[in-house]
Amino acid sequence: MDMNTISDFDPGDVRLPGGHFIGGSPVAGGQWDIEVNRPSDGLLLGAVPDGDADLVDRAVQNAHQALQDSGWDRRPPRERARILRRWADLIDEHSLTLGRLEAVSSTRPIHDCILHEVPFTAEAIRFFAECADKYSGDLLPTRGGSLGLLAPEPYGVVGAITPWNFPLSMASWKCGPALAAGNAVVLKPSELTPFSTLYLAELAIQAGLPAGVLNIVNGYGASTGSALVRHPLVRKVSFTGSTATGAVVMSEAAHHGMKPATLELGGKSPQLVFEDAGDIREVASRIAKGFTSNAGQACVAGTRLIVQRRIAAALVEAVAEAVAELRPGLTWQAATRYAPLINGRQADKVHEAVQASIAAGARVLTGGDFFEGTGGGFFYRPTILTEVDANTPAVRDEIFGPVLTVQVFDDEDEGIALAGHPVYGLAAGVHTQDLGRALRATRALAAGTVWVNRYGRTHDFIVPTGGFNGSGVGKDLGRQAFEANLRHKSVLIDFD
């Protein structure tokens, strides 16, 4: 959709899908006591039910049976690919509906939903559709008179749990590779942003996906999510969220079936800027977008600026000027470019982290509080903190808000050392025109993704994403994500 066709809309006019989605149809189940509020103004949008263990069992049993009845795992890979490509086409065709569902309940402005989130979701599904027949097993060398094979096969039912910050694209990361590989999926979206995912599942059925091969269950993580991870028919788990919750998911997966888990978790990502980084304003724009996109509510947000002393003052001033232009707006207004925080709880967490950092000696260069006059919305000013060290809360902890800390270094080794983190290793940015320095930094940084002279993902789906250390296990995107949804069976055949 062209940018010029994006217009304001009335959130009251958006039809909200309801309940869960099991066996190809909406399903009621559980108490409808999960209220979904609009982050832009704090008003009640609607409600979804909290699925209990019995509801999760129903969804998983249905998916397991649908897999057997439909033969989805045994269908020719090109047939699976055709259905997934049709699903992607429908996502594009329904971009306005999906975009509005996403914008009204999440932190994503309609402009970003239409131009970025929905197209990204469709292309991710297409990428994994094309993986369906591009991966094979191995013929293994054995003794004469025998044949050794390594045969890939789907797990069966994959349990997926997605976060609230990018509901649609995160669903595509989970569903795309699992379905292309021949699995069924039971997915629990965040209780804060459930509606676009429910509609996404409706489109999958319209595209020809067998009913039950993709089921959606709503509910809280501690109840519904835990029941999904622990279910004996769930053979693999894929989760995106906080490191603390990821540890619980990993433990429950291990203790209930020893099932593998792909975990894309938290981050505290550095932006390492050397004095030869190039045009200061261009670099400043990258830094600003890296920590203010989606109001900093991204696991890969580049929230630690580590800059060489000679250019530090000029760069920090340029970043401050760049973020000073940002203005809050309702997510259903086409002109809005700056997102709200998801809810009051998250807003309090961000502000408390800033205040704790100030108490520890940090100085506020800009921001440090909420925008005024935004009604009931949760809009936090882009904040830059200087005079910090490794023990400052805003340096140490993942805040999930638009807060940038600034640390200064003199030589390369010092800069690389400051860029390290004792817990997280999700992503990092390196800014330099010296290729040798860029490669040295890339090798030295303990991060699952390193961007050089840029920051953030694009539609390069072949490039996997995933963290080191406390930032996760395994990869989303890339062929690695597809392969992670297959298990391998060793076969040895004697024929003499």
Side-chain angles (χ1 to χ4, degrees):
M1 181 176 292
D2 187 86
M3 176 179 171
N4 294 325
T5 66
I6 301 173
S7 59
D8 298 356
F9 68 95
D10 184 344
D13 292 339
V14 178
R15 182 190 72 83
L16 302 175
H20 315 280
F21 192 82
I22 299 174
S25 302
V27 170
Q31 296 296 316
W32 287 66
D33 56 3
I34 301 180
E35 295 185 347
V36 180
N37 295 310
R38 307 187 313 210
S40 290
D41 58 12
L43 295 181
L44 179 65
L45 175 64
V48 291
D50 183 16
D52 58 15
D54 288 341
L55 190 284
V56 171
D57 178 65
R58 176 181 174 183
V60 175
Q61 294 282 0
N62 179 269
H64 177 72
Q65 191 62 47
L67 202 58
Q68 297 182 53
D69 293 345
S70 69
W72 177 252
D73 56 336
R74 301 183 300 277
R75 293 192 185 187
R78 296 301 296 173
E79 182 180 339
R80 293 201 299 268
R82 280 194 297 273
I83 291 173
L84 293 179
R85 287 198 303 271
R86 175 58 181 153
W87 187 21
D89 291 342
L90 286 174
I91 292 170
D92 281 334
E93 291 173 20
H94 291 254
S95 62
L96 187 60
T97 299
L98 284 166
R100 288 179 172 179
L101 283 169
E102 188 96 329
V104 75
S105 64
S106 80
T107 60
R108 307 285 285 154
I110 186 63
H111 170 273
D112 291 342
C113 291
I114 296 297
L115 293 187
H116 303 290
E117 192 75 1
V118 175
F120 186 99
T121 300
E123 280 302 297
I125 298 296
R126 290 190 183 97
F127 172 84
F128 287 115
E130 290 304 324
C131 290
D133 66 345
K134 305 298 189 299
Y135 184 80
S136 61
D138 291 312
L139 180 64
L140 306 174
T142 59
R143 63 178 179 82
S146 69
L147 182 66
L149 303 172
L150 188 64
E153 62 181 32
Y155 280 96
V157 179
V158 173
I161 302 173
T162 54
W164 49 260
N165 53 343
F166 299 98
L168 282 173
S169 60
M170 293 296 99
S172 73
W173 287 18
K174 308 304 182 188
C175 298
L179 294 173
N183 298 282
V185 176
V186 178
L187 186 149
K188 190 201 88 67
S190 169
E191 67 275 11
L192 303 178
T193 55
F195 299 116
S196 59
T197 305
L198 288 168
Y199 193 74
L200 193 69
E202 292 182 22
L203 295 180
I205 299 302
Q206 292 182 34
L209 190 72
V213 171
L214 172 60
N215 290 332
I216 310 296
V217 291
N218 280 304
Y220 293 110
S223 52
T224 311
S226 179
L228 181 60
V229 172
R230 296 157 66 102
H231 197 286
L233 286 179
V234 171
R235 304 300 187 189
K236 181 188 184 299
V237 175
S238 184
F239 169 81
T240 296
S242 72
T243 296
T245 304
V248 174
V249 170
M250 192 173 192
S251 176
E252 291 192 337
H255 284 93
H256 295 83
M258 216 32 119
K259 56 198 72 172
T262 297
L263 307 173
E264 208 251 355
L265 307 177
K268 195 67 190 175
S269 301
Q271 298 256 33
L272 181 58
V273 183
F274 292 96
E275 61 185 12
D276 62 351
D279 182 83
I280 289 291
R281 294 203 170 275
E282 181 180 336
V283 177
S285 177
R286 285 185 222 141
I287 302 301
K289 291 177 182 177
F291 85 97
T292 62
S293 178
N294 204 32
Q297 297 166 114
C299 53
V300 296
T303 55
R304 292 191 294 132
L305 173 58
I306 299 163
V307 56
Q308 201 156 15
R309 190 174 304 277
R310 190 176 70 82
I311 64 168
L315 179 61
V316 172
E317 181 181 358
V319 174
E321 290 176 357
V323 301
E325 300 175 359
L326 296 173
R327 295 289 182 272
L330 303 173
T331 54
W332 46 86
Q333 293 179 338
T336 298
R337 299 292 184 272
Y338 188 68
L341 298 175
I342 186 67
N343 57 22
R345 179 181 176 184
Q346 181 63 22
D348 290 342
K349 176 185 174 183
V350 172
H351 191 56
E352 288 168 4
V354 170
Q355 293 303 306
S357 298
I358 295 171
R363 183 173 73 87
V364 178
L365 180 64
T366 185
D369 56 8
F370 293 90
F371 281 100
E372 297 178 354
T374 58
F378 308 102
F379 293 90
Y380 204 78
R381 292 181 181 277
T383 299
I384 300 176
L385 301 177
T386 61
E387 299 179 20
V388 299
D389 59 30
N391 295 316
T392 303
V395 174
R396 183 187 64 219
D397 304 329
E398 184 181 40
I399 297 176
F400 234 56
V403 181
L404 181 73
T405 61
V406 181
Q407 294 171 278
V408 177
F409 68 92
D410 290 304
D411 59 40
E412 184 177 312
D413 289 343
E414 183 187 6
I416 291 172
L418 285 172
H421 194 280
V423 175
Y424 299 113
L426 187 57
V430 176
H431 308 267
T432 176
Q433 299 301 309
D434 184 325
L435 179 59
R437 175 176 282 166
L439 292 174
R440 288 191 297 273
T442 297
R443 285 185 174 180
L445 291 171
T449 296
V450 179
W451 290 297
V452 178
N453 296 328
R454 58 168 295 154
Y455 199 85
R457 301 186 182 101
T458 53
H459 287 201
D460 300 303
F461 298 100
I462 191 62
V463 180
T465 184
F468 292 174
N469 306 328
S471 289
V473 177
K475 298 291 187 181
D476 285 316
L477 299 180
R479 64 178 177 81
Q480 289 82 0
F482 178 79
E483 293 171 4
N485 283 277
L486 294 167
R487 57 187 181 183
H488 294 79
K489 181 176 292 181
S490 297
V491 181
L492 188 61
I493 303 170
D494 283 348
F495 55 84
D496 261 349

